[in-house]
Amino acid sequence: MASSYFFTYLLLHAFILGLASTQIEARRLSHEILARQEADRVIRLPGQPPVKFRQYAGYVTVSESHGRALFYWFFEATHKPEKKPLLLWLNGGPGCSSIGYGEAEELGPFLIQKGVPELKFNNYSWNKEANLLFLESPVSVGFSYTNTSSDIDVLGDEFTAKDSYTFLVNWFRRFPQYKSHDFYISGESYAGHYVPQLAEAIFDQNKKASKEDYINLKGFMIGNALLDDETDQNGMIDYAWDHAVISDKVYHGVKKYCNFSTGNASAYCISYLNEYYDVYNIIDMYSLYAPKCVNQNTSRLRPKIEGISPRILSQFDGWHKKPAGYDPCVSEYSEVYFNRPDVQKALHANVTKIPYPWTHCSDIITQWAAAPPSILPIINKLLDGGLRIWIFSGDTDGRIPVTGTRYTLNKLGLAILNDWSPWYNHQQVGGWTIIYDSYLTFVTVRAAGHQVPTFAPKRSRQLINHFLANKELPTQPF
């Protein structure tokens, strides 16, 4: 009997020691995580207005062997971040910076100002609705880098999705307090490829991921999104003619000689498309009724990227112009700001001394590996998987116009649950909306260009608020 008691005592003692050891290890890991977060903490940027929410920026390694790391900038929600979802924003290009456009010119808390070395607070920042994460992807975009130059030669849709997924897994290990939060993705333009492909990667990996690496993905929302080569390109031409941008001759010439479903362009097709693009040398394709930057010191053209979607229209220099906003010269101010050494130090950026300046869109990327001509199969797959999907479109954008997006969504062949209806921002019509089967929602935003949050900040915040809350937009004035 005594030996039995002694054996029980040994077992209990071992259990207590093991428990104590586990608790010590947990405290050690917790301390390491907090220390790593604190190392990424951005105390205050040069020229930044004071704020109460916390922000973090830095690098997350996505390939140890290649020395590949992606740069992020994260803002806690302005109120009750512990109860708000987490939203990742991606800009497109491919090869354009989510920090230069998304954060500094569209929906982030801090916007670049003209003529003064100061930031201004964005009263319609999306971090009033969610914890907000910006990512510069793929490598060679913005501050993201690789130590293996051959990586640049194999960049493409699949490469970007894999690295972005690895980034998220590792970012959540650094910020585990957000693991239980609902997670959403949003973006614009070529993010019509990036966002669904990343969502698909998460969706597929979640089926076999460990509990530690499971990502609580609930849905995504993309704006003025490149989704389908055939309909996007046809929509661009139809939109330009319908908005009195091109002549009947150019319109009928493109319609006769250009077959956007094949990806091949005849000499006659190219001739008419050159006339089509000539118009956008004198007005802004990204926002038909906004002014152009006439005192431009830097070119808005970037190198052609071979192999991207859409196959035909991307062959022209005009496709590779960088977008502008209401102040069409704002990108010049951003490039000055993000190349300042004191700004980079505050953001923990450019720690490896990248041998080229920060730019809105990468000048390094000139080749693009496989890009599927249509993202619609992924959209169908993820709708069937129960993800919430909204697609929105600023209606003055000629680059990926509302016309093309309507053609694309019709191609899905979904039944309509709630047909074309106005939605309201207070007393004014904010745009129109249509709800399809599987609750795919399409929303137009009145008088907004390619970068909807730039042109319609109040309505874009209303949009993200209703998307995250899974609420239909108001159909009556309020």
Side-chain angles (χ1 to χ4, degrees), residues 96 115 132 221 224 229 425 477:
C96 293
L132 190 55
M221 182 174 78
N224 293 83
D229 277 10
N425 180 265

Side-chain angles (χ1 to χ4, degrees), residues 13-31:
H13 184 66
F15 173 76
I16 292 171
L17 287 176
L19 183 62
S21 176
T22 300
Q23 290 174 337
I24 291 170
E25 177 66 11
R27 283 197 295 270
R28 184 186 68 80
L29 290 173
S30 177
H31 178 75

Side-chain angles (χ1 to χ4, degrees), residues 15 109 198-199 221 225 232 234 251 258 294 297 301 305 349 372 430:
F15 173 76
L198 175 56
M221 182 174 78
D232 286 337
N234 274 315
Y251 175 74
C258 298
V294 294
N297 296 317
L301 276 179
I305 303 176

Side-chain angles (χ1 to χ4, degrees), residues 13 144 178 204 297 335 348 393 459:
H13 184 66
S144 295
Y178 291 99
D204 290 343
N297 296 317
E335 295 203 1
H348 318 118
S393 187
R459 278 169 280 150

Side-chain angles (χ1 to χ4, degrees), residues 379-380 382-384 387-389 409 412-419 434-442:
I379 298 288
N380 270 324
L382 298 179
L383 284 172
D384 290 343
L387 292 190
R388 184 186 319 153
I389 301 175
L409 296 181
L412 284 169
L414 297 173
I416 295 173
L417 302 181
N418 189 349
D419 209 349
I434 182 170
I435 301 173
Y436 295 91
D437 194 16
S438 302
Y439 294 96
L440 171 70
T441 298
F442 175 55

Side-chain angles (χ1 to χ4, degrees), residues 59-81:
Y59 288 95
V60 172
T61 299
V62 294
S63 173
E64 293 279 0
S65 60
H66 282 221
R68 207 159 64 236
L70 298 182
F71 184 78
Y72 79 91
W73 195 356
F74 171 63
F75 302 91
E76 288 188 344
T78 55
H79 298 93
K80 298 183 178 178

Side-chain angles (χ1 to χ4, degrees), residues 417-435:
L417 302 181
N418 189 349
D419 209 349
W420 199 256
S421 304
W423 65 273
Y424 285 83
N425 180 265
H426 299 295
Q427 297 295 310
Q428 300 296 324
V429 172
W432 277 263
T433 184
I434 182 170
I435 301 173

